[in-house]
């Protein structure tokens, strides 16, 4: 068979191995040169197309992890029941292939179908013009090895059907080669992330509650939460997201007929620790302030005790209802300096009030404090677990369970290289794409020989940045750096007119002029980052691209957030972590535009850099 240049390269290797006789209307049996599961082509072309569409039912697409492919295949297979004629079937198959693949979340699927759809130029319209008919005749001759299709006793398949059949074949190829193998997931309770069969996970709150069953009366489950919430001068909580984040774990405990003892820190009560406080700091940092909001969110019996250890705490625990369903909030852990020092006696006093322990404070999971690692070390492993929030954080930020076709991209912004260096170093061993922006990018620009004017730069980190650039290149990491920057002559005190800004290309030998300060990435960079991130299957965003709080230097970060929103809609897992990054989402009204918003600051960064979190390490792995 002559080569058909209009089809995808992937398809040619199949078509070139098929002789002309196999495409005649007589039947032929399974051929090893064809994609799997294509069965016998009958003399009736309508049955032929329906058969191939129907054969796709044999299973793989039903459990494909790509939602778009499942929907596309479901639609195609349904055509068999709708009894379309030959033209109807091939038209519908072609229509689906032409249109739906463009929004497929799998980059490889888009590329394969894009290649296979190039031959739609051979599809004639009704009442085709003579030039168009001649073109089809030329193509038809290519379907016959001898080139004399008119002399065949049994007419060859017409060119239109030939190419439309190949579109069905292209889809089959996609299923066989680009749909991930069905992976069984373990059914988890509500508010818990899914786990693949065989995947290692930590014991969680539901495992602990199961272990507690069988005894008489309610058990007291101690939960390390992160209620370090901002409170204004009027004593009102201005952001209750950390409280709301702990609700699923708390409710699971209450619904199981047990009591929840909540312990947390708030602020840095140094004066209380040293005995220099006159009562002002203790009042300002008391966890009693979260009780009203907790009552509103849970509707439960919420109690408070103004100590976290000692006789007061023991008395309050002893008064919890035997039938369960109550919440006891302990006073600020950090009123004792022993908490941060993980003093054994302090941890023992805390643990003495607990029948079981749950860590649901991801924000402090990177701290080896008494409430984080000391308490679980004193209790049986089967009675310790992580809460719903920590389980979700670990699942979204863990790279160990990715498939061979996954590509992870990390976006690191912010002001200083020194504060993000451990993360950046750790990421080059875990990601395929690394995007650097914000103030720290100017240190890297200087390391590349690009002028940065008066932009923020850590001169003592320039050589370190050079070493990192070389290391990333050696490891094959795709590193994306700003190629243009929006600058001003001084740091703005408020919104600035674009007329007072200037955009510079950030290239070696060029860059920002003296007297100008880079404050945001430019439009070329935004386009570059968007294109680079499109091929990722998972994206982590930590740190803004510029001074996003002040227009017009918010445009680079907004463009990035918009790109993340688009990627999320296309099936990419997008995770945002870090205070400034989350603030940027809120500023642009995009908090629901990404897959997950991490609650951790330092914990997020340490997990991304590959470090082991003490709070997670303290919990045993789940075993069947």
């Amino acid at each position: 068979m002559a080569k058909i240049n209009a089809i995808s390269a992937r398809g040619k290797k199949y078509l070139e191995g098929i002789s002309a006789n196999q495409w005649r209307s007589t039947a032929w049996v399974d051929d090893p040169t064809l994609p799997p599961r294509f069965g016998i082509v009958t003399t009736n072309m309508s049955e032929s197309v329906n058969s191939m569409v129907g054969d796709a039912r044999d299973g793989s697409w039903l459990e494909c992890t790509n939602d778009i492919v499942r929907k596309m295949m479901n639609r195609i297979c349904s055509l068999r029941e709708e009894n379309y004629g030959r033209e109807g079937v091939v038209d519908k198959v072609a229509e689906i292939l032409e249109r739906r693949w463009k929004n497929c979340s799998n980059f490889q699927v888009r590329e394969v179908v894009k290649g296979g759809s190039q031959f739609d130029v051979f599809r004639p319209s009704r009442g085709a013009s003579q030039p168009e008919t001649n073109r089809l005749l030329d193509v038809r001759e290519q379907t016959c090895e001898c080139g004399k299709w008119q002399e065949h006793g049994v007419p060859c398949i017409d060119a239109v059907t030939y190419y439309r059949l190949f579109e069905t074949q292209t889809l089959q190829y996609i299923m066989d080669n680009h749909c991930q193998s069905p992976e069984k997931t373990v059914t988890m309770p509500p508010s818990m992330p899914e786990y693949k069969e065989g995947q290692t996970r930590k014991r969680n709150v539901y495992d602990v509650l199961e272990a507690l069953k069988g005894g008489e009366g309610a058990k007291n489950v101690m939960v390390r939460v992160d209620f370090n919430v901002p409170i204004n001068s009027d004593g009102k909580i201005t952001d209750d997201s950390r409280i709301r984040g702990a609700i699923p774990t708390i409710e699971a405990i209450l619904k199981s007929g047990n009591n929840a003892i909540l312990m947390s820190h708030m602020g840095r009560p140094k004066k209380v620790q040293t005995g220099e406080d006159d009562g002002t700091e203790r009042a300002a940092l008391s966890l009693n302030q979260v009780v009203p909001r907790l009552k509103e969110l849970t509707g439960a019996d919420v109690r408070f005790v103004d100590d976290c250890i000692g006789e007061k705490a023991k008395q309050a625990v002893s008064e919890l209802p035997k039938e369960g369903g109550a919440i006891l909030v302990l006073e600020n852990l950090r009123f004792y300096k022993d908490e941060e020092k993980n003093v054994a006696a302090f941890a023992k006093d805390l643990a003495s009030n607990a029948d079981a322990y749950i860590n649901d404070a991801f924000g402090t999971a990177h701290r080896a404090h008494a409430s984080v690692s000391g308490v679980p070390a004193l209790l049986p492993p089967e009675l310790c677990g992580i809460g719903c929030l920590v389980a979700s954080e670990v699942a979204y930020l863990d790279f160990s369970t990715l498939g061979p076709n996954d590509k992870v991209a990390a976006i690191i912004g912010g002001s200083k290289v020194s504060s993000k260096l451990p993360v950046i170093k750790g990421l080059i061993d875990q990601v395929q794409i690394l995007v650097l922006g914000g103030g720290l990018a100017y240190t890297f620009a200087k390391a590349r020989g690009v002028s940065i004017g008066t932009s923020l730069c850590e001169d003592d980190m320039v050589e370190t940045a050079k070493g990192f650039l070389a290391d990333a290149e050696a490891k094959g990491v795709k590193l994306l750096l700003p190629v243009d920057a929006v600058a001003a002559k001084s740091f703005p005190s408020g919104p600035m007119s674009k007329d007072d800004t200037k955009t510079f290309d950030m290239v070696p030998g060029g860059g920002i002029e003296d007297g100008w300060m880079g404050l945001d990435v430019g439009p070329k960079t935004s386009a570059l980052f968007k294109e680079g991130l499109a091929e990722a299957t998972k994206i982590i965003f930590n740190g803004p691209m510029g001074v996003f709080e002040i227009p017009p230097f918010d445009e680079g970060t907004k463009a990035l957030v918009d790109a993340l929103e688009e990627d999320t809609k296309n099936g990419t897992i997008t995770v945002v972590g870090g205070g400034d990054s989350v603030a940027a989402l809120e500023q642009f009204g995009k908090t629901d535009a990404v897959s997950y918003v991490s609650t951790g600051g330092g914990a997020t960064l340490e997990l991304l850099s590959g470090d082991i979190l003490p709070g997670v390490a303290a919990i045993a792995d789940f075993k069947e």
Side-chain angles (χ1 to χ4, degrees), residues 320-389:
L320 289 171
K322 302 305 178 185
E323 66 276 13
I327 299 172
L328 174 63
V329 179
L330 303 181
E331 185 55 284
N332 192 337
L333 291 165
R334 291 188 185 172
F335 282 173
Y336 293 89
K337 59 184 178 182
D338 293 349
E339 155 66 0
E340 294 174 272
K341 293 182 177 181
N342 193 11
V343 174
F346 182 75
K348 185 177 181 180
D349 205 333
L350 287 172
S352 67
N353 292 317
D355 294 314
Y357 169 86
I358 301 296
N359 187 343
D360 208 25
F362 183 71
T364 58
H366 61 308
R367 307 293 190 193
H369 293 172
S371 63
V372 175
S373 0
V375 173
L378 298 171
L379 295 172
E382 66 273 16
L383 298 180
C384 298
I386 56 176
C388 302
L389 177 63

Side-chain angles (χ1 to χ4, degrees), residues 141-150 152:
E141 289 194 22
Q142 295 182 51
T143 67
C144 297
E145 193 173 44
C146 63
K148 298 179 181 179
W149 59 273
Q150 294 162 310
H152 289 168

Side-chain angles (χ1 to χ4, degrees), residues 191-490:
S191 303
M192 295 297 291
E194 283 188 346
Y195 289 89
K196 298 172 186 175
E197 193 173 66
Q199 179 184 344
T200 300
R201 69 171 177 85
K202 294 293 182 178
R203 291 185 61 81
N204 61 47
V205 59
Y206 292 99
D207 301 321
V208 172
L209 294 175
E210 185 67 26
L212 287 174
K213 286 182 178 179
E216 293 184 5
K219 299 296 187 293
N220 298 317
V221 182
M222 182 168 282
V223 187
R224 178 48 161 110
V225 292
D226 184 3
F227 285 177
N228 185 27
V229 295
I231 298 177
N232 63 21
S233 57
D234 296 327
K236 293 183 179 180
I237 297 171
T238 58
D239 180 1
D240 67 354
S241 57
R242 290 181 175 177
I243 300 176
R244 286 185 284 108
I247 297 301
T249 295
I250 296 170
E251 289 185 338
I253 294 169
L254 300 185
K255 288 178 181 178
S256 69
N258 295 300
N259 297 309
I261 303 172
L262 309 184
M263 56 179 178
S264 176
H265 74 284
M266 180 180 284
R268 299 180 180 275
K270 297 299 182 184
K271 289 183 179 180
V272 175
Q273 290 181 1
T274 60
E276 300 173 6
D277 180 46
D278 60 2
T280 303
E281 187 177 73
R282 177 177 286 272
L285 299 178
S286 173
L287 282 169
N288 191 32
Q289 299 172 95
V290 306
V291 171
R293 184 57 179 146
L294 194 56
K295 284 182 178 179
E296 292 174 2
L297 291 170
T298 63
D301 173 10
V302 182
R303 309 175 184 190
F304 175 76
V305 57
D306 62 355
D307 206 341
C308 59
I309 59 172
E311 290 305 316
K312 281 187 177 181
K314 289 186 184 299
Q315 181 63 31
V317 171
S318 69
E319 294 173 359
L320 289 171
K322 302 305 178 185
E323 66 276 13
I327 299 172
L328 174 63
V329 179
L330 303 181
E331 185 55 284
N332 192 337
L333 291 165
R334 291 188 185 172
F335 282 173
Y336 293 89
K337 59 184 178 182
D338 293 349
E339 155 66 0
E340 294 174 272
K341 293 182 177 181
N342 193 11
V343 174
F346 182 75
K348 185 177 181 180
D349 205 333
L350 287 172
S352 67
N353 292 317
D355 294 314
Y357 169 86
I358 301 296
N359 187 343
D360 208 25
F362 183 71
T364 58
H366 61 308
R367 307 293 190 193
H369 293 172
S371 63
V372 175
S373 0
V375 173
L378 298 171
L379 295 172
E382 66 273 16
L383 298 180
C384 298
I386 56 176
C388 302
L389 177 63
V390 172
S392 296
E393 294 277 0
V394 172
Y396 274 104
L397 297 173
D398 180 21
F399 300 150
S400 63
T401 59
L402 299 173
N405 295 322
D406 283 321
K407 279 190 177 181
V408 181
I411 306 163
I412 303 297
S415 58
K416 294 184 177 182
V417 175
S418 55
S419 62
K420 297 287 180 77
L421 186 60
V423 180
I424 295 172
K425 283 184 175 179
L427 284 171
I428 63 172
D429 292 322
Q430 303 185 74
V431 304
Q432 290 74 47
I433 304 166
L434 183 57
V435 176
L436 299 180
L440 62 83
Y442 297 109
T443 301
F444 282 93
K446 189 169 184 177
R448 294 168 52 235
V450 179
S451 297
I452 62 171
T454 58
S455 304
L456 179 66
C457 178
E458 293 177 275
D459 290 326
D460 59 341
M461 297 297 294
V462 171
E463 290 303 316
T464 302
K466 287 181 180 178
F468 170 79
L469 292 172
D471 197 16
E473 182 178 2
K475 292 182 178 181
V477 176
K478 183 176 182 180
L479 183 61
L480 300 178
L481 294 166
V483 293
D484 61 345
V486 180
K489 289 193 172 182
S490 61

Side-chain angles (χ1 to χ4, degrees), residues 494-532:
M496 180 180 288
S497 169
K498 281 190 176 182
D499 295 337
D500 296 325
T501 69
K502 190 172 182 180
T503 302
F504 297 92
D505 287 333
M506 302 297 287
V507 295
I512 300 174
E513 297 173 0
D514 290 343
W516 289 83
M517 174 187 298
L519 297 169
D520 193 18
V521 296
K524 293 179 183 177
T525 299
S526 295
L528 173 70
F529 288 176
K530 180 179 181 179
E531 181 181 2

